[in-house]
Amino acid sequence: MRHTLLEKAYKTNELTKAEITFLLETITPEEREILYSKALKTKQAYYGNKVYLRGLIEFSNICRQDCLYCGIRASNTKVKRYRLTPGEILACCDQGYELGYRTFVLQSGEDLWYTEEMLSALIHQIKRRYYPEVAITLSIGERSAETYQSLFVSGADRFLMRHETAVPKLYETLHPTMRFENRRACLNTLQEIGYQVGAGFMVGLPGQTPADLAEDLCFLQELHPDMIGIGPFIPHSQTPLGSEKGGTLEDTLVMVALTRLLIPDSLIPATTALGTLHPLGRELALKAGANVLMPIITPTSVRKQYALYENKICGDDHPEDCRYCIERRIQAVGLEVDLGRGDSWRFISKADIFG
Ligand code: SAH
């Protein structure tokens, strides 16, 4: 039965919620290996052996939201807060450009100090400076449709906003200041504007069941984003979930692999959280269908303050350390670094139709 389901997922890229739930509840270690190898084959069919790199700039850890799992939540008074100025962000981009990155991901807490005008000017400057090579990805949380529109017009290409969990009740327990329907509406708006959109979720959240994880995959099948970020939940002691159990390596890899089978043309990062959970977590994700890595280029002086979870890797490293460490890791599993923009197939084929 499970073999037939794996075969069906591989051949048709479709499973129902009941089928996914059944698989998650009963999969054996041997079947996990079969799943990973089918996911790797599927990745290769769409993206070959290439792994795309993005330089990640964590530009502010100030946040107005209060997500129960997150180390930089507004109520955590123990975090030392920081903001990089637009000039400092540009300096990170210069360094990243020198290291070969052609996508910059600008990520932060929800920090309204960075107004629409400031962000627009910054995006415009980055795009002009490296025109036409560089893509800009934003990951700044919820803003108005008008702001999303004007940042897109200024030159932002992509937007990452994980849906975190597609189960509204669980979502709202974990995000006391937020609503699932707003999250969904933001993702829809971003797609309508024309961004390449990244969604995604955490694995092993307190109270999350296999049926809940199946719901995440169904949600993603419907949304069909360009990128899907999946990471284990890792407890942070300065949050209300500090003494909960975190997500496991195996459960996260299974979700990465199933995502590759069900949304085969998506870009899937091997996340820093997986690398934190296990020394080879990211390499294992690359072998189970992931095809993107996001080395950190945040200045070493503030890195440790962007602690969404504890023991995050690379805290003492410099951008050049991460660049070459990542390259070695990719080569060690027989894959190749691609320093191009790395657009999703879905985006490229849409552009072909219209352009
Ligand atoms: N403010 C932005 C960026 C959020 S931080 C936004 O709302 O999109 C990036 C991601 O880190 C989050 O989407 C969440 O999935 C993940 N994250 C936060 N805390 C975490 C934790 N304790 N364990 C694992 N991942 C976490």
Side-chain angles (χ1 to χ4, degrees), residues 79 90 135 138 239 299 305-306 318:
V79 193
L90 274 175
L138 299 175
T239 67
Q305 288 156 251
Y306 198 79
H318 293 271

Side-chain angles (χ1 to χ4, degrees), residues 169-183:
K169 203 162 162 269
L170 181 59
Y171 183 94
E172 279 150 31
T173 308
L174 296 170
H175 306 92
T177 50
M178 302 166 90
R179 311 285 301 172
F180 180 70
E181 277 316 316
N182 279 345
R183 200 74 170 173

Side-chain angles (χ1 to χ4, degrees), residues 8 58 62 66-67 84 163 174 182 188 193 255 272 278 286 299 316 339-340 354:
K8 179 179 170 200
E58 300 149 324
I62 296 180
D66 218 16
C67 312
L84 300 186
H163 65 277
L174 296 170
N182 279 345
N188 291 337
I193 292 173
M255 295 313 292
T272 310
H278 187 281
L286 293 176
D316 291 315
L339 284 165
F354 297 114

Side-chain angles (χ1 to χ4, degrees), residues 63 69-72 107-110 139-142 159-162 164 178 183 200-202 231-236 273 306 308-310:
C63 192
Y69 46 80
C70 184
I72 64 167
Q107 189 178 84
S108 67
E110 282 197 18
S139 180
I140 57 172
E142 297 184 13
F159 204 106
L160 303 185
M161 186 160 68
R162 290 190 179 172
E164 314 295 2
M178 302 166 90
R183 200 74 170 173
F201 57 98
M202 277 174 285
F233 156 62
I234 303 177
H236 187 302
Y306 198 79
L308 310 175
Y309 44 84
E310 279 159 327

Side-chain angles (χ1 to χ4, degrees), residues 66-70 73 75 236-244:
D66 218 16
C67 312
L68 256 51
Y69 46 80
C70 184
R73 65 200 299 266
S75 306
H236 187 302
S237 63
Q238 293 164 358
T239 67
L241 304 181
S243 50
E244 297 287 338

